[in-house]
Short mmCIF file of all heavy atoms in Angstrom, two decimals:
data_model
loop_
_atom_site.label_atom_id
_atom_site.label_comp_id
_atom_site.label_asym_id
_atom_site.label_seq_id
_atom_site.Cartn_x
_atom_site.Cartn_y
_atom_site.Cartn_z
N ILE T 1 6.64 -10.66 3.21
CA ILE T 1 5.90 -10.86 4.55
C ILE T 1 5.33 -12.20 4.68
O ILE T 1 4.41 -12.51 4.03
CB ILE T 1 4.68 -9.73 4.58
CG1 ILE T 1 5.28 -8.30 4.26
CG2 ILE T 1 3.99 -9.73 5.82
CD1 ILE T 1 4.12 -7.22 4.19
N ASP T 2 6.05 -12.96 5.42
CA ASP T 2 5.77 -14.41 5.54
C ASP T 2 4.44 -14.64 6.21
O ASP T 2 3.60 -15.52 5.76
CB ASP T 2 6.88 -15.07 6.37
CG ASP T 2 8.30 -15.06 5.72
OD1 ASP T 2 8.25 -15.14 4.41
OD2 ASP T 2 9.29 -15.15 6.42
N ALA T 3 4.07 -13.74 7.08
CA ALA T 3 2.79 -13.93 7.72
C ALA T 3 1.55 -13.86 6.71
O ALA T 3 0.48 -14.44 6.95
CB ALA T 3 2.54 -12.88 8.85
N LEU T 4 1.64 -12.97 5.80
CA LEU T 4 0.64 -12.75 4.72
C LEU T 4 0.88 -13.63 3.47
O LEU T 4 0.05 -13.72 2.66
CB LEU T 4 0.51 -11.41 4.30
CG LEU T 4 0.19 -10.34 5.64
CD1 LEU T 4 0.21 -8.93 5.08
CD2 LEU T 4 -1.11 -10.68 6.14
N GLY T 5 2.13 -14.23 3.37
CA GLY T 5 2.42 -14.98 2.29
C GLY T 5 2.51 -14.08 1.04
O GLY T 5 2.21 -14.56 -0.19
N VAL T 6 3.07 -12.86 1.10
CA VAL T 6 3.12 -12.06 -0.03
C VAL T 6 4.58 -11.49 -0.17
O VAL T 6 5.25 -11.31 0.87
CB VAL T 6 2.20 -10.87 -0.06
CG1 VAL T 6 0.81 -11.30 -0.04
CG2 VAL T 6 2.43 -10.07 1.19
N ALA T 7 4.99 -11.15 -1.41
CA ALA T 7 6.26 -10.59 -1.68
C ALA T 7 6.05 -9.14 -2.29
O ALA T 7 5.41 -9.04 -3.40
CB ALA T 7 7.27 -11.33 -2.55
N LEU T 8 6.37 -8.07 -1.73
CA LEU T 8 6.04 -6.78 -2.15
C LEU T 8 7.18 -6.13 -2.97
O LEU T 8 8.34 -6.20 -2.56
CB LEU T 8 5.63 -5.81 -1.07
CG LEU T 8 4.45 -6.25 -0.14
CD1 LEU T 8 4.18 -5.21 0.96
CD2 LEU T 8 3.15 -6.46 -1.00
N SER T 9 6.86 -5.58 -4.14
CA SER T 9 7.72 -4.81 -4.83
C SER T 9 7.60 -3.34 -4.51
O SER T 9 6.64 -2.84 -3.75
CB SER T 9 7.51 -4.96 -6.34
OG SER T 9 6.27 -4.55 -6.81
N TRP T 10 8.45 -2.44 -4.98
CA TRP T 10 8.29 -1.02 -4.76
C TRP T 10 7.02 -0.47 -5.35
O TRP T 10 6.39 0.28 -4.78
CB TRP T 10 9.44 -0.30 -5.36
CG TRP T 10 10.70 -0.24 -4.42
CD1 TRP T 10 11.88 -0.73 -4.85
CD2 TRP T 10 10.80 0.31 -3.20
NE1 TRP T 10 12.76 -0.65 -3.69
CE2 TRP T 10 12.17 0.10 -2.61
CE3 TRP T 10 9.93 1.02 -2.34
CZ2 TRP T 10 12.59 0.42 -1.51
CZ3 TRP T 10 10.44 1.39 -1.00
CH2 TRP T 10 11.78 1.13 -0.63
N ARG T 11 6.68 -1.04 -6.52
CA ARG T 11 5.31 -0.74 -7.04
C ARG T 11 4.11 -1.09 -6.07
O ARG T 11 3.19 -0.23 -5.89
CB ARG T 11 5.14 -1.36 -8.31
CG ARG T 11 3.73 -1.13 -8.93
CD ARG T 11 3.48 -1.90 -10.27
NE ARG T 11 2.27 -1.75 -10.76
CZ ARG T 11 1.18 -2.66 -10.55
NH1 ARG T 11 1.34 -3.67 -9.71
NH2 ARG T 11 -0.03 -2.40 -11.05
N ASP T 12 4.23 -2.30 -5.54
CA ASP T 12 3.23 -2.76 -4.71
C ASP T 12 3.10 -1.79 -3.32
O ASP T 12 2.14 -1.48 -3.03
CB ASP T 12 3.41 -4.18 -4.22
CG ASP T 12 3.35 -5.14 -5.32
OD1 ASP T 12 2.60 -4.89 -6.28
OD2 ASP T 12 4.11 -6.19 -5.28
N ILE T 13 4.30 -1.51 -2.90
CA ILE T 13 4.44 -0.64 -1.71
C ILE T 13 3.83 0.70 -1.92
O ILE T 13 3.02 1.37 -1.21
CB ILE T 13 5.84 -0.48 -1.25
CG1 ILE T 13 6.34 -1.89 -0.76
CG2 ILE T 13 5.96 0.61 -0.10
CD1 ILE T 13 7.87 -1.86 -0.33
N ILE T 14 4.08 1.38 -3.10
CA ILE T 14 3.56 2.59 -3.62
C ILE T 14 1.99 2.48 -3.77
O ILE T 14 1.32 3.45 -3.28
CB ILE T 14 4.19 3.01 -4.88
CG1 ILE T 14 5.68 3.39 -4.65
CG2 ILE T 14 3.43 4.29 -5.48
CD1 ILE T 14 6.40 3.69 -5.95
N LEU T 15 1.52 1.39 -4.28
CA LEU T 15 0.09 1.27 -4.47
C LEU T 15 -0.63 1.18 -3.06
O LEU T 15 -1.72 1.72 -2.85
CB LEU T 15 -0.22 0.04 -5.28
CG LEU T 15 0.11 0.15 -6.82
CD1 LEU T 15 -0.23 -1.32 -7.37
CD2 LEU T 15 -0.73 1.32 -7.41
N VAL T 16 0.01 0.45 -2.19
CA VAL T 16 -0.57 0.20 -0.81
C VAL T 16 -0.54 1.57 -0.04
O VAL T 16 -1.67 2.00 0.46
CB VAL T 16 0.27 -0.79 0.01
CG1 VAL T 16 -0.20 -0.80 1.44
CG2 VAL T 16 -0.03 -2.23 -0.55
N VAL T 17 0.52 2.31 -0.07
CA VAL T 17 0.55 3.69 0.53
C VAL T 17 -0.41 4.68 -0.15
O VAL T 17 -1.09 5.38 0.61
CB VAL T 17 1.98 4.19 0.58
CG1 VAL T 17 2.11 5.52 1.17
CG2 VAL T 17 2.91 3.24 1.32
N GLY T 18 -0.28 4.73 -1.44
CA GLY T 18 -1.27 5.60 -2.05
C GLY T 18 -2.71 5.27 -1.96
O GLY T 18 -3.50 6.12 -1.78
N GLY T 19 -2.95 4.01 -2.02
CA GLY T 19 -4.47 3.51 -1.80
C GLY T 19 -4.91 3.82 -0.37
O GLY T 19 -5.96 4.27 -0.16
N GLY T 20 -3.98 3.55 0.67
CA GLY T 20 -4.27 3.95 1.95
C GLY T 20 -4.55 5.34 2.19
O GLY T 20 -5.49 5.73 2.94
N PHE T 21 -3.78 6.29 1.47
CA PHE T 21 -4.02 7.62 1.63
C PHE T 21 -5.35 7.95 0.93
O PHE T 21 -6.07 8.82 1.63
CB PHE T 21 -2.88 8.42 0.77
CG PHE T 21 -3.06 9.92 0.72
CD1 PHE T 21 -2.89 10.69 1.79
CD2 PHE T 21 -3.56 10.44 -0.39
CE1 PHE T 21 -3.05 12.03 1.71
CE2 PHE T 21 -3.71 11.90 -0.57
CZ PHE T 21 -3.45 12.61 0.54
N LEU T 22 -5.70 7.44 -0.13
CA LEU T 22 -6.96 7.69 -0.69
C LEU T 22 -8.15 7.22 0.19
O LEU T 22 -9.21 7.97 0.28
CB LEU T 22 -7.09 6.99 -2.08
CG LEU T 22 -6.57 7.58 -3.28
CD1 LEU T 22 -6.89 6.91 -4.56
CD2 LEU T 22 -7.15 9.09 -3.43
N VAL T 23 -7.99 6.06 0.86
CA VAL T 23 -8.99 5.60 1.69
C VAL T 23 -9.22 6.47 2.96
O VAL T 23 -10.23 6.87 3.38
CB VAL T 23 -8.74 4.07 2.24
CG1 VAL T 23 -9.56 3.65 3.39
CG2 VAL T 23 -8.76 3.14 1.04
N TRP T 24 -8.03 6.86 3.40
CA TRP T 24 -8.18 7.92 4.61
C TRP T 24 -8.80 9.12 4.16
O TRP T 24 -9.61 9.63 4.97
CB TRP T 24 -6.67 8.15 5.12
CG TRP T 24 -6.51 9.26 6.12
CD1 TRP T 24 -6.84 9.21 7.35
CD2 TRP T 24 -6.16 10.58 5.83
NE1 TRP T 24 -6.64 10.48 8.00
CE2 TRP T 24 -6.17 11.37 7.05
CE3 TRP T 24 -5.65 11.25 4.72
CZ2 TRP T 24 -5.78 12.61 7.16
CZ3 TRP T 24 -5.33 12.63 4.74
CH2 TRP T 24 -5.47 13.22 5.99
N LYS T 25 -8.35 9.67 3.06
CA LYS T 25 -8.81 10.97 2.59
C LYS T 25 -10.27 10.95 2.34
O LYS T 25 -11.23 11.86 2.78
CB LYS T 25 -8.08 11.53 1.41
CG LYS T 25 -8.41 12.93 1.03
CD LYS T 25 -7.95 13.94 1.94
CE LYS T 25 -8.36 15.41 1.62
NZ LYS T 25 -7.90 16.28 2.73
N ALA T 26 -10.78 9.91 1.69
CA ALA T 26 -12.11 9.79 1.26
C ALA T 26 -13.03 9.54 2.55
O ALA T 26 -14.12 10.12 2.73
CB ALA T 26 -12.39 8.53 0.43
N THR T 27 -12.44 8.76 3.52
CA THR T 27 -13.22 8.52 4.67
C THR T 27 -13.40 9.80 5.61
O THR T 27 -14.48 10.10 6.16
CB THR T 27 -12.43 7.45 5.61
OG1 THR T 27 -12.32 6.26 4.83
CG2 THR T 27 -13.23 7.18 6.92
#
């Protein structure tokens, strides 16, 4: 993602999706 200057692996994507799910559920 050039706009953010980051390169995501599958692990990173899983963490982002899983973390987002936890944030949504907790909220």
Side-chain angles (χ1 to χ4, degrees):
I1 304 177
D2 294 328
L4 299 178
V6 296
L8 301 179
S9 64
W10 281 114
R11 172 183 179 269
D12 297 330
I13 294 172
I14 292 171
L15 290 181
V16 170
V17 174
F21 175 77
L22 275 182
V23 170
W24 170 78
K25 190 64 180 178
T27 302

